[in-house]
Amino acid sequence: MGLLTLTSKGLSWFLKGHPWVFRDDLEKIQDAQAGGIVSLERRNGQFLAQGFYSDRSKIAFRLISRNREPIDRAFWKGRIQRAAQFRQLAVEKTNAYRVVYGESDGVPSLIVDRYGEHWVMQTLSQGADRATGLFADLLAELFQPSSIILRNDLAVRDLEGLPQEKKMILGDSPEWVEVFEGDIRYRVDPWSGQKTGAYLDQRENRLRAGRLLRGKVLDAFCYQGLFALHAARSAAQVTAVDSSLEALEQAKENARLNDLSNIEFLRENVFDFLKGEVERGNRYDGINLDPPAFAKSRGNVDAAVRGYKELNQRAIRLLNPGGILVTSSCSYNLSESRFLDLLRDCARDAKADLWIMEKRGQSADHPVLLTFPESSYLKCLFLQKAPFPPS
Ligand code: SAH
């Protein structure tokens, strides 16, 4: 088995509990194979942990276990069962959710999402990639899915020197899968939809928004229209905007599936649309803003902040008194405090009093591991514009 020795700086980092070790924090690398399981040791040879080794990524080691136990089929079966049990507790009102969320579930860089009987896997590092066959076998044995797609068409795999690819690894997946979320049904295309087919991380926020949004509602960056569908059950009229033609086609199909005829779908750039609505003097009682990650790296946080500010400022202007803004950021690199800061600026510039109704995050099937800050990325705030003139 390969062996990694930590530097003293690496040791103090690792003892804090973080599940990754960077290459710079290693003093010695012996017999470690790309994607193999290695031991991590102190300089004096004392065992610390076992994990996956990567010979390409800056993240050289990903923690699997702090014990000297065999990392075999039975071990991984236990980890996957533990993940599934957690979902039984944490997930309700849906048959579409994340079953395994990588490091948070102790299965580094493995993602497993289920859409009813159709499952999707992603392996995002050399170690998980090497174990793909074993993981797929275990999913088949434990859950008997009708199909499993391997959706490894992700750019992060480049950092590991792994190819981007997509393939069926079990059964046959239909062109689309119908699933449910609370009282709505929707169609997913796990083969070519965004992410693994849907933004499962927003599920609980959508259900909550559906209970709160009333009157005239805007769903900006609507993708498959899921916020819009939930809102449309109680709201008078919903406008759903996205720039992607395929997304809007799916969203329209989803509206038909739910017999909802009070949603208008528009293909537009949301930045232009919001500007136009302010100019036209239109107003809304509820707005959902769920843009893609603007801060993809630490380097472009400032530009991202400008983008989020522009959107939120306009959305706040567009709200009627008493109206609700549901605003999200899925950029890991934008911290919650920075997001709150920029929203504060928007409120000031729009001369509006806004209350935080709820501070939310990603759904519980994407559990945040306390010792792994990278597992927490989605921020979602429910804000209400004061229903009387501002102070
Ligand atoms: N709210 C959705 C997820 C939104 S993902 C849900 O809960 O399922 C972000 C969406 O923004 C994508 O569908 C993408 O097509 C769209 N998008 C990205 N940039 C855009 C822009 N400038 N204007 C309009 N839509 C955009």
Side-chain angles (χ1 to χ4, degrees), residues 173-347:
S173 183
E175 202 181 323
W176 48 260
V177 181
E178 188 183 311
V179 294
F180 70 94
E181 179 174 281
D183 295 319
I184 65 144
R185 294 182 291 152
Y186 68 96
R187 282 180 175 190
V188 181
D189 175 358
W191 182 258
S192 46
Q194 297 183 28
K195 300 256 263 186
T196 60
Y199 289 81
L200 299 172
D201 50 4
Q202 283 282 23
R203 181 184 59 258
E204 291 168 7
N205 300 329
R206 290 191 289 257
L207 289 163
R208 189 75 188 120
R211 284 202 292 277
L212 290 172
L213 302 183
R214 296 287 181 274
K216 191 163 175 266
V217 172
L218 170 65
D219 180 9
F221 305 96
C222 71
Y223 187 41
Q224 291 147 317
L226 301 190
F227 272 102
L229 297 177
H230 283 289
R233 299 184 75 251
S234 314
Q237 173 66 35
V238 181
T239 302
V241 184
D242 202 282
S243 54
S244 153
L245 193 62
E246 300 87 65
L248 289 169
E249 285 309 314
Q250 269 197 45
K252 283 180 200 165
E253 189 56 45
N254 286 332
R256 276 194 289 274
L257 197 63
N258 291 279
D259 288 324
L260 291 165
S261 51
N262 56 341
I263 312 177
E264 167 195 32
F265 294 96
L266 300 175
R267 185 179 185 197
E268 261 201 72
N269 181 327
V270 168
F271 286 89
D272 299 337
F273 176 78
L274 293 180
K275 189 161 178 261
E277 288 294 86
V278 172
E279 285 162 8
R280 290 184 282 272
N282 283 339
R283 291 288 177 271
Y284 292 88
D285 304 303
I287 298 179
N288 176 57
L289 278 185
D290 186 16
F294 291 150
K296 289 238 161 68
S297 71
R298 245 178 283 171
N300 61 3
V301 174
D302 291 341
V305 166
R306 286 194 290 278
Y308 287 116
K309 262 195 190 169
E310 181 175 338
L311 292 173
N312 282 283
Q313 214 178 86
R314 292 198 172 129
I316 292 169
R317 286 186 208 281
L318 287 174
L319 275 184
N320 280 322
I324 293 173
L325 171 63
V326 179
T327 182
S328 298
S329 163
C330 58
S331 300
Y332 165 72
N333 293 298
L334 182 80
S335 67
E336 184 182 85
S337 69
R338 187 108 195 246
F339 190 44
L340 275 166
D341 278 348
L342 76 87
L343 290 171
R344 201 169 286 132
D345 289 347
C346 294

Side-chain angles (χ1 to χ4, degrees), residues 114-134:
R114 78 174 286 187
Y115 297 100
E117 300 316 308
H118 300 279
W119 293 49
V120 184
M121 276 175 65
Q122 295 178 319
T123 51
L124 309 180
S125 72
Q126 293 177 352
D129 191 71
R130 234 167 98 161
T132 300
L134 174 59

Side-chain angles (χ1 to χ4, degrees), residues 42-181:
R42 293 175 189 246
R43 275 172 163 172
N44 66 6
Q46 197 192 348
F47 170 87
L48 287 166
Q50 300 183 72
F52 283 139
Y53 177 71
S54 169
D55 70 350
R56 286 286 286 274
S57 166
K58 274 194 223 161
I59 306 161
F61 174 90
R62 289 168 194 261
L63 174 71
I64 298 171
S65 169
R66 290 190 171 84
N67 301 315
R68 280 188 195 274
E69 58 195 315
I71 310 296
D72 53 12
R73 186 182 175 96
F75 172 88
W76 289 124
K77 187 172 173 180
R79 282 279 159 99
I80 292 174
Q81 279 174 316
R82 187 180 82 163
Q85 272 160 15
F86 176 78
R87 273 61 182 184
Q88 277 179 3
L89 203 71
V91 177
E92 52 178 15
K93 300 181 193 151
T94 188
N95 61 348
Y97 58 91
R98 178 151 295 183
V99 184
V100 180
Y101 180 42
E103 275 77 348
S104 285
D105 285 304
V107 192
S109 41
L110 173 71
I111 301 295
V112 180
D113 289 343
R114 78 174 286 187
Y115 297 100
E117 300 316 308
H118 300 279
W119 293 49
V120 184
M121 276 175 65
Q122 295 178 319
T123 51
L124 309 180
S125 72
Q126 293 177 352
D129 191 71
R130 234 167 98 161
T132 300
L134 174 59
F135 291 148
D137 259 16
L138 287 169
L139 295 177
E141 179 192 327
L142 289 168
F143 311 108
Q144 294 91 44
S146 304
S147 72
I148 304 177
I149 295 175
L150 185 65
R151 273 210 59 181
N152 273 341
D153 49 336
L154 283 114
V156 284
R157 280 175 54 96
D158 300 348
L159 304 174
E160 297 276 339
L162 297 166
Q164 293 192 34
E165 58 182 11
K166 263 202 281 198
K167 59 183 177 207
M168 287 301 316
I169 47 178
L170 177 83
D172 246 332
S173 183
E175 202 181 323
W176 48 260
V177 181
E178 188 183 311
V179 294
F180 70 94
E181 179 174 281

